[in-house]
Each structure stands twice: as structure tokens, then as C-alpha cells.
Amino acid sequence: MDTATVAARLEEARGVDPRARSLICDEVSAAFLASGTVPSFGVKGVDPVDDPYFLCADRYWRRRFQERPTARTAAACARWVFDHVRKEGRGAVTERWALGNGFLDRADTEPGERTAEMAEQAATGSGGERAALFVTLYQAGKLRANFRFDELHAFLTFSPAAAAVGSLRTEPVYLALQAFAAFGSRALTVDHARELLERAWSAKDRSRHTLEICLHAVAFAAPFDGQGELLRGHAEEAVRVCPDDHGFHARLAAGRHLCGRHDAALESIDTALSLLAAAPPADLAVLQDHYLTRREAIQEGRLRALRDTEQERRWAEQTSANARLERSLQRSSVRAVEVAAIFTAAIAFAVGSLQITLTGTLALSARLWLLTAQGVVLALFAALIVGGTWLITRERGGRRDKEG
């Protein structure tokens, strides 16, 4: 296919609907691959929906990676990006194609030595570090997609491929991948992972892919204290930055779910499903079932929380009723002791009074004094019994209140 024909077909694609545009770009990219010709046109934008040139190049390189998912293909793609994409768009294209194709080609991983060799070769010449970054991100995308956290950490930190990247190792997307590896690894600390995360997240030139990897890192981290709040807070910020990104809304739903905010999580996942309906068909096919599964999990969590709340309420009511019954029984026991003490004192006073009144030769005044003394002693006895019982039951009741 000659240059004029390619240009005519792609210009034709500008004036048609997205579905027809996609078909035209598929046909042109397939023709390039069939003829063994690499696209020679330049890419001005990085919008896969509106720019047919970018969409055609994207489809062409996807076909190349499908045919041969290797670091050599990644190096060739990196060189094409440097030669045909405007400088201001190279970073975005590198992240999109390297990480995206790495995810799609995750079943075909290569030995690290092969990747390192191609990264070192790509690093020669102008734009070498950027080309080496492409090759490194492609391999990192495979390791990330397979959740090989420790291998990813070693690859990004110690491998010759990482050395070939040079100064670009401070790129936010590179730091985000290191954070992903650190959060998932059981050998690295959460503090180290959070430090890498915040460095990537707070970078002024962070990209959408950087935000996505950071959220992915927290969502799939080894469990740690504060994980839900960390994911929720960062996802809320990502949604503010990119309100139409269904992936960020899905991460926010996951964060709210972990925090127990089930109603808000349902709202977020429903928003993600609504936005997903307007996404490219490939995204819809891959993600819709995943989002629906997450929605079911959130609903189950919500129902479980409601049941737990109801159960806790019933336990609280039962505990309160048991406490009231215990206090009632205690008061009844105390009253019984008090009545018994008073009744005993009264009987003793009556018996003693009869003995003093009916027998003996004491004068009336002496008998009255004896009766008074006896009454006072018995009254003191009853008071001591009642007071002692009150003090004992009061101390026990106070200890139970403190323990409760």
C-alpha cells in the first residue's frame, strides 16, 4: 500500500463514525503487516478514538506484538515511537503501548537476560534511554500482570535493563511500578512501599497510567493496616482528576468497600459500569464481568454488615435486659436480708420485752430502761446488718459497672 493510498484511507476515516473508523484502521494496519511495511506516517495526537493515524499505528503494533511478543519487537516499537511521534506525546505513547501490550502478552514472558540485552541495544543512539524505558516497561507490564511482585522488584531495581534506563528511573510511572512490586512483596516493608507510592503520586508530570498503577498497587497489596483508607483517599483524588475514567471509579468502589462504606461503594461501581458502556468494545468485554462481580461482592458485604448490626443490637438489648434482671434480683436479695434483719430484731425485742415485763421484781422505771436499752441494741444490730449488706452489694455493683 503506497503512501498516497494510506493517507487517503486515513483521511477518509476522519469523517466517519467511530465503528467505521476502527474498521478502516484495522484494514490499513493489516495491509501494512501483510506487505511487511512499517508505517511511515507521523503521529500528532495520542487519541485512539479521534485520530485515525494514531489508531492505525496502535493496531499495527498490536498485531506485531501478537505475532511476536518479544523484547525485540518492543525495541523496534520504541524506535518507531521516537522517529514518528511528536516529542510531547512520546511519554504517553510509550506508557500506553509498552504497558498495554505487556499486559496482553503476559502469557509470553522472556528471560530477564534477553530483555536486558535488548534494552542495552535500544539504549544506544539518540533517545536511547527512552527506548530502553519502553523495553523495560514492556517486560515490567508482563510481570505486573502476572503478579510476580518479587521478580518485578528485582527486575526494576537490579537488572541491566534497569541500568540502561538511566535517569528515567525517576519517571513517575517507573516509581509506581516499583511501588506495586513493594506493596505485593512480603519481603519489603509497607513504609518503603508507601514512600515510593507518594513519590510517584505527588509528581507534577504524573500520567493517567501512573495513577492507575498506584491504585492497582494498593488494591492488590499484601494486607496492611489502613489499606482501605489509603486506597479510598487516592481513588477519590483520581476521580476528581479524571471524572470520566471508569477504572478509577471501580478502584474507589473497592476502597469504600474495604472501609465498610457499602452504599457509597455501590454508587461508585454503578458509575463505573455506566462509564464502561461508552468505552471501546474491547474494554467492555474484558471489564464488565469483573465490575459486576465486584458489585455482587459489595452487595453481599452490605447485607452482611446489616445482619451484623442487627445482631449486635440484639446482643446489646439482651445484655441490657440481663443487667436489669441481675440488678432486680440483687435488690430483691438485699431487701430480703433487710426485712429478715428487721423482723429478727422485732421478734427478739418482743420476746425480751415479755420476759422483762412479766417476770422479775424490778421497778417499773428500771424495766422501762431495760426495754429502751434492748430496743436500741436491737435497732443498732438491724442497722448494722442493713448497712453492711448495702455496702457489700454497692461495691460489687460498682465493679461490675466498671467491667461492663
Side-chain angles (χ1 to χ4, degrees):
M1 185 178 292
D2 59 80
T3 304
T5 303
V6 170
R9 292 296 308 279
L10 294 181
E11 287 300 325
E12 176 191 349
R14 290 188 184 277
V16 298
D17 62 85
R19 184 178 295 274
R21 184 182 305 127
S22 177
L23 291 174
I24 292 173
C25 291
D26 270 338
E27 292 174 2
V28 174
S29 63
F32 274 121
L33 193 66
S35 63
T37 306
V38 179
S40 59
F41 53 77
V43 173
K44 297 179 180 179
V46 290
D47 190 338
V49 177
D50 295 330
D51 184 4
Y53 288 90
F54 176 81
L55 183 57
C56 179
D58 182 80
R59 299 292 173 81
Y60 169 80
W61 284 108
R62 174 80 286 266
R63 292 173 183 272
R64 285 279 300 269
F65 277 107
Q66 284 179 328
E67 187 179 81
R68 186 167 295 180
T70 63
R72 184 177 295 278
T73 304
C77 184
R79 181 54 55 190
W80 190 93
V81 169
F82 183 80
D83 292 337
H84 295 85
V85 179
R86 285 187 175 182
K87 183 178 180 180
E88 58 271 19
R90 288 173 190 162
V93 174
T94 293
E95 293 180 14
R96 180 184 177 90
W97 286 359
L99 294 172
N101 284 297
F103 174 80
L104 294 172
D105 299 338
R106 57 190 178 276
D108 298 289
T109 55
E110 288 184 288
E113 296 80 6
R114 183 59 177 163
T115 301
E117 178 185 348
M118 295 310 306
E120 290 173 338
Q121 290 182 15
T124 60
S126 58
E129 286 187 349
R130 182 64 61 180
L133 177 65
F134 191 109
V135 176
T136 303
L137 291 182
Y138 177 66
Q139 176 70 2
K142 292 181 178 182
L143 297 175
R144 172 198 172 201
N146 291 322
F147 300 100
R148 291 156 65 172
F149 300 107
D150 292 317
E151 190 174 343
L152 177 60
H153 168 70
F155 175 73
L156 293 173
T157 308
F158 307 114
S159 71
V165 173
S167 62
L168 296 182
R169 292 175 66 176
T170 60
E171 289 274 298
V173 68
Y174 200 94
L175 295 172
L177 285 167
Q178 288 183 309
F180 178 86
F183 270 115
S185 173
R186 264 66 174 182
L188 301 173
T189 66
V190 174
D191 290 339
H192 175 65
R194 295 186 72 153
E195 179 185 355
L196 290 168
L197 178 78
E198 294 308 322
R199 286 174 60 192
W201 191 268
S202 61
K204 294 181 180 179
D205 55 342
R206 68 185 184 185
S207 63
R208 186 263 170 199
H209 282 90
T210 298
L211 299 181
E212 192 276 326
I213 294 170
C214 286
L215 295 178
H216 192 197
V218 180
F220 284 84
F224 62 92
D225 292 339
Q227 181 180 8
E229 286 297 332
L230 184 64
L231 178 58
R232 182 189 60 80
H234 282 70
E236 286 178 348
E237 182 179 342
V239 166
R240 287 194 296 270
V241 174
C242 303
D244 296 329
D245 193 302
H246 58 81
F248 292 160
H249 284 277
R251 296 296 186 202
L252 178 57
R256 288 173 168 174
H257 186 202
L258 287 175
C259 294
R261 299 172 59 177
H262 303 292
D263 290 336
L266 276 176
E267 180 182 352
S268 295
I269 200 64
D270 286 342
T271 302
L273 285 165
S274 177
L275 293 171
L276 181 63
D283 289 348
L284 182 63
V286 172
L287 294 174
Q288 188 173 50
D289 287 344
H290 174 69
Y291 288 177
L292 289 173
T293 300
R294 181 174 295 281
R295 191 179 194 281
E296 291 177 1
I298 293 171
Q299 285 183 311
E300 289 177 1
R302 181 176 181 274
L303 292 175
R304 192 180 304 111
L306 290 175
R307 288 195 296 267
D308 291 345
T309 300
E310 178 64 19
Q311 188 65 32
E312 289 176 0
R313 184 188 66 78
R314 290 180 179 179
W315 276 112
E317 290 180 353
Q318 185 63 47
T319 302
S320 178
N322 291 341
R324 289 195 300 270
L325 178 61
E326 183 179 358
R327 287 193 296 269
S328 177
L329 292 174
Q330 179 183 331
R331 284 194 296 270
S332 299
S333 300
V334 172
R335 298 291 88 79
V337 172
E338 293 173 349
V339 169
I342 295 172
F343 183 74
T344 300
I347 293 298
F349 179 76
V351 172
S353 299
L354 288 174
Q355 290 179 344
I356 294 172
T357 304
L358 300 176
T359 62
T361 57
L362 294 175
L364 179 61
S365 59
R367 293 182 180 185
L368 290 175
W369 277 110
L370 283 173
L371 289 173
T372 302
Q374 183 183 19
V376 170
V377 170
L378 291 174
L380 288 174
F381 169 76
L384 286 173
I385 295 297
V386 172
T389 303
W390 180 80
L391 286 174
I392 292 171
T393 55
R394 178 174 176 272
E395 289 178 359
R396 290 180 179 176
R399 282 198 297 270
R400 278 194 296 269
D401 291 340
K402 290 179 180 179
E403 291 173 358

